[in-house]
Amino acid sequence: MKTAVVYFSLGGATRSFARAEANARGADLFEAVPEKKYNPFSALVRGCHAAMRQKSVPLSEAPDLTGYGHIVLMAPVWGGFPAPPFNSIAGLLPRGAEVEALLVSASGSSEKSRAKVRALLEARGCRVVAQRDIRSHR
């Protein structure tokens, strides 16, 4: 079964974890790049609000995940929820894929969004095999 690691990163912490995850699994690595880039201010002002409402954003580079049976989605936690590009990636998932949601945060947690993230992924016809937070020390 082919594995893909797909991530969005604002400051680089999630990128580092995604690269390590892909290397450890021998997986293909894809970055989800939003059309309208975020900076720390826009992430706080528009990104957190959109994250808490589980909104997606248009991607300028959307990976083709056809043929991947196992997909690891990684994104930072904004306002207790995955950053909006995570939701965009979820919209690209092939039906029947096994999915892991790995969320990166320096000080927060995705605990309050755990059930909603699972529901989002399962609504795509995917099987959630893992959900966990990764603590960043940046």
Side-chain angles (χ1 to χ4, degrees), residues 28-46:
D28 294 332
L29 181 66
F30 299 97
E31 181 176 11
V33 179
E35 281 181 2
K36 194 171 184 180
K37 302 229 190 248
Y38 289 99
N39 61 45
F41 181 74
S42 65
L44 179 64
V45 173
R46 85 181 144 87

Side-chain angles (χ1 to χ4, degrees), residues 11 15 18 27 35 42 44 52 80 103 125 132-133 137:
R15 179 180 295 112
E35 281 181 2
S42 65
L44 179 64
M52 291 186 283
L103 302 174
R132 65 182 163 93
D133 289 342
H137 298 290

Side-chain angles (χ1 to χ4, degrees), residues 80 108-115 133:
S109 162
S110 68
E111 188 60 38
K112 70 181 179 182
S113 66
R114 191 168 299 270
D133 289 342

